Amino acid sequence: MPFQAERPRHRGIPLPPSGWTLAVLLVLYIFTGLIGHDPWKNDDAVTIGVVHDLVSNGNWLTPSLAGHPYPDAPLYYWVAAASAHLLSWLLPLHEAARLASGVFTLLALGCTLLAARELHDREQAPAAPLLLAGSIGFLFHAHEAQPMLATLTAHTAAYWGLTQIDRRPLRGACWFGSALGLGFLANGLAPMLPLLPVAAFVVWRSQHRQRSALLLLGSLLLSCMLAGAWLAALFATSPDYLAAFWQGELTQLSGSVQPLLSLQRLLLMLPWYAWPALPLAGWTLWAKRRQLATTPLALPMFAFLVALLVVSVWLGARSAPALLLLPPLVLLAVPGVTSLRRGAANAFDWFGMITFSFFAALTWIAWCAMVFGWPARLAKQAVRLAPGFVGHFNVFAAGLALLATLVWCWMIVTSPRSPMRGIMHWMSGLTLLWLLIATLWMPWIDYGKTYRQVSGSLSRALPERRECIASANLADSLLASLDYFDDIRTLPAKSIAGKRCDLLLVHGSVKDGNISVAGGWRQIWEGGRPAERRDAEKLHLYRREEGKKGPPGK
């Protein structure tokens, strides 16, 4: 028996949530955690490093990283650099730049809501942004500097455009073409490939095939104009950079070495990555199995299968590209929210309430251990994982976390019965947990993940008189962090210029970088983050001994 809504006994949040309620919840979820911490390893540090270089040197056409060309599509870096420049009076560069992720994420959620309205109806549509934002995999990337978020926004805007082709054909085609062109500027050609078969599918399903085909061909011209403006500027001013960019694109388009293995990994990742959208999409397919040929179900099904194929073959089984699987899965899952049986809806609701209440309590207990030393055993574990960290009581952070916890308790008590209650509680609980982590745990997490102390220690260890620093086995995120925090730039140890350097910086063992420091090199510094105890995890600085010659390397 389907779930029946009822009037609330207490004055709580109406379900489905109104526009302002939904907007406040999503804004709170998205912008919490974007500020208040340093650049972290991997994509966050690399992206902020590129933005830092762009703001410092003004190379808007040709993004660079730590002084070296970084051939990549520039849209996210442009928006992040503009945000960093406009808010430089208020926030440090890395925090202001990271706000670009919040902007792109909100746009993606908004376009998902609009696409759900076109495919389904206004009553069911609010479930779409709740499902997208509530997906576990989405949480990891929505709060970091991540160019794939701009591509995700382009995909959601393209889906919204395609769903309008019959009702508002010109506007739909313009949205699709703009999304396709801007998506290319966000992350290159490969991530936009899934949209082309989906557009052909929409034309085939259209009531006015010829008109839709002509309009979508025109939209392709619009996308080429948007993308071509940057490419033409590169051709005129930096042909070498353009050649490097296209070489990277062609390398990516050559495909994965093991696409079947990538597909297997994605399928194994999806059950937790796309929770709860994946099981709800599965329920939609079962509950609406007689309507699978209708456009509201056929379009997201086809889009998901095409995206799964493209990600497996060209983008690989990585967490960031997997974001592109979420929008069609969410659009497919929307009818499943309102068609759940009463028992399943109640079970999902109770699962969300119990899960997030438990983890919220655990978060508070862990915070007490970090700040007050109780429970003692948990406090010892926190110190072991982050040696040297000292917790401090912050009135504002604790007050905000307490207020969020009380609002969560109020929501549980006052929420009316509704098919939307389960997903509303899930999204609210995820927001509560993330807000507690961002307010109570962030100093401890940042202490263990930032390279600020490592970079500062290295900067103090560098001789005042030096020629240059060669580096080996340093990931882009390390190069970006050293440049961002202390303007430390290095040259590749195997390059002609790097072989003449009098300093050598190695991450991990010299054997990992195929470097020899025997005879003529002396270690003068070693450092790493607090939890990095093994020699293979640390940075090592060597200095060429006086009178010794010979390049580092084999």
Side-chain angles (χ1 to χ4, degrees), residues 313-391:
V313 175
W314 285 296
L315 301 179
R318 294 179 292 114
S319 182
L323 286 171
L324 304 183
L325 303 177
L326 294 178
L329 202 59
V330 163
L331 293 175
L332 184 60
V334 166
V337 173
T338 55
S339 62
L340 274 180
R341 302 289 185 180
R342 182 189 299 272
N346 285 332
F348 176 49
D349 188 21
W350 277 102
F351 174 73
M353 289 190 292
I354 293 173
T355 298
F356 289 113
S357 296
F358 171 76
F359 280 111
L362 195 62
T363 304
W364 276 106
I365 294 172
W367 173 75
C368 290
M370 288 187 291
V371 176
F372 303 112
W374 179 89
R377 182 175 296 180
L378 195 58
K380 289 181 180 179
Q381 184 69 8
V383 172
R384 189 185 70 83
L385 294 175
F389 175 77
V390 178

Side-chain angles (χ1 to χ4, degrees), residues 210-273:
Q210 185 175 5
R211 183 189 68 183
S212 299
L214 290 174
L215 284 172
L216 288 180
L217 284 176
S219 71
L220 293 179
L221 294 177
L222 174 61
S223 66
C224 290
M225 291 175 58
L226 291 172
W230 176 62
L231 297 176
L234 283 183
F235 181 78
T237 59
S238 304
D240 292 340
Y241 190 97
L242 176 62
F245 171 77
W246 274 120
Q247 183 59 46
E249 292 293 293
L250 293 175
T251 300
Q252 188 174 49
L253 291 174
S254 64
S256 172
V257 178
Q258 297 177 310
L260 291 179
L261 181 60
S262 296
L263 176 61
Q264 180 184 5
R265 290 176 176 173
L266 281 173
L267 293 176
L268 291 174
M269 183 174 67
L270 276 177
W272 67 264
Y273 189 92

Side-chain angles (χ1 to χ4, degrees), residues 180-539:
L180 201 62
L182 294 176
F184 174 85
L185 290 177
N187 230 305
L189 183 59
M192 306 312 294
L193 290 179
L195 296 176
L196 300 180
V198 176
F201 180 81
V202 168
V203 170
W204 177 63
R205 301 274 305 191
S206 175
Q207 299 174 3
H208 310 281
R209 289 185 183 177
Q210 185 175 5
R211 183 189 68 183
S212 299
L214 290 174
L215 284 172
L216 288 180
L217 284 176
S219 71
L220 293 179
L221 294 177
L222 174 61
S223 66
C224 290
M225 291 175 58
L226 291 172
W230 176 62
L231 297 176
L234 283 183
F235 181 78
T237 59
S238 304
D240 292 340
Y241 190 97
L242 176 62
F245 171 77
W246 274 120
Q247 183 59 46
E249 292 293 293
L250 293 175
T251 300
Q252 188 174 49
L253 291 174
S254 64
S256 172
V257 178
Q258 297 177 310
L260 291 179
L261 181 60
S262 296
L263 176 61
Q264 180 184 5
R265 290 176 176 173
L266 281 173
L267 293 176
L268 291 174
M269 183 174 67
L270 276 177
W272 67 264
Y273 189 92
W275 177 274
L278 183 63
L280 287 170
W283 171 251
T284 299
L285 294 178
W286 172 255
K288 308 286 185 180
R289 56 190 179 277
R290 296 181 180 178
Q291 305 173 29
L292 295 182
T294 60
T295 298
L297 300 183
L299 176 59
M301 273 195 303
F302 182 78
F304 173 74
L305 293 175
V306 172
L308 183 63
L309 176 65
V310 170
V311 172
S312 301
V313 175
W314 285 296
L315 301 179
R318 294 179 292 114
S319 182
L323 286 171
L324 304 183
L325 303 177
L326 294 178
L329 202 59
V330 163
L331 293 175
L332 184 60
V334 166
V337 173
T338 55
S339 62
L340 274 180
R341 302 289 185 180
R342 182 189 299 272
N346 285 332
F348 176 49
D349 188 21
W350 277 102
F351 174 73
M353 289 190 292
I354 293 173
T355 298
F356 289 113
S357 296
F358 171 76
F359 280 111
L362 195 62
T363 304
W364 276 106
I365 294 172
W367 173 75
C368 290
M370 288 187 291
V371 176
F372 303 112
W374 179 89
R377 182 175 296 180
L378 195 58
K380 289 181 180 179
Q381 184 69 8
V383 172
R384 189 185 70 83
L385 294 175
F389 175 77
V390 178
H392 297 284
F393 180 78
N394 185 304
V395 176
F396 176 76
L400 184 60
L402 180 60
L403 176 62
T405 306
L406 294 175
V407 171
W408 166 249
C409 296
W410 170 78
M411 280 191 63
I412 291 177
V413 173
T414 62
S415 293
R417 282 190 179 185
S418 166
M420 204 76 70
R421 185 169 69 172
I423 188 59
M424 186 66 179
H425 279 165
W426 177 270
M427 179 57 200
S428 302
L430 189 65
T431 302
L432 167 70
L433 182 61
W434 178 242
L435 191 146
L436 292 180
I437 291 174
T439 53
L440 301 180
W441 282 22
M442 191 61 75
W444 181 80
I445 298 173
D446 193 39
Y447 177 82
K449 293 180 73 70
T450 181
Y451 275 99
R452 183 182 293 272
Q453 290 81 10
V454 178
S455 179
S457 175
L458 173 61
S459 179
R460 292 188 294 271
L462 291 174
E464 292 185 6
R465 290 187 176 184
R466 61 180 185 271
E467 295 179 9
C468 59
I469 308 172
S471 63
N473 207 32
L474 263 67
D476 285 345
S477 57
L478 261 173
L479 295 173
S481 296
L482 296 177
D483 179 44
Y484 179 70
F485 289 125
D486 292 286
D487 295 323
I488 299 174
R489 293 187 172 183
T490 65
L491 299 172
K494 296 299 184 66
S495 66
I496 296 176
K499 291 179 179 180
R500 294 195 293 264
C501 291
D502 56 342
L503 294 172
L504 173 64
L505 183 64
V506 181
H507 184 221
S509 171
V510 291
K511 296 180 181 178
D512 296 335
N514 196 26
I515 295 294
S516 173
V517 294
W521 293 91
R522 177 173 57 88
Q523 182 171 309
I524 60 173
W525 176 85
E526 177 184 272
R529 293 179 296 183
E532 295 172 337
R533 300 180 179 89
R534 295 184 301 170
D535 190 65
E537 298 174 329
K538 295 183 178 180
L539 287 167

Side-chain angles (χ1 to χ4, degrees), residues 70-149:
Y70 192 76
D72 196 8
L75 179 62
Y76 183 93
Y77 307 120
W78 288 346
V79 176
S83 174
H85 178 72
L86 291 174
L87 298 175
S88 59
W89 59 275
L90 180 63
L91 296 171
L93 183 142
H94 60 274
E95 294 184 354
R98 211 180 279 122
L99 292 179
S101 291
V103 173
F104 281 116
T105 301
L106 279 179
L107 290 174
L109 294 171
C111 289
T112 303
L113 173 67
L114 295 171
R117 283 183 179 178
E118 295 290 334
L119 287 177
H120 307 295
D121 58 53
R122 297 182 70 90
E123 289 295 314
Q124 298 182 74
L130 293 175
L131 283 167
L132 179 56
S135 299
I136 303 299
F138 186 81
L139 173 69
F140 291 107
H141 298 295
H143 299 95
E144 65 176 356
Q146 176 56 258
M148 190 58 73
L149 292 172

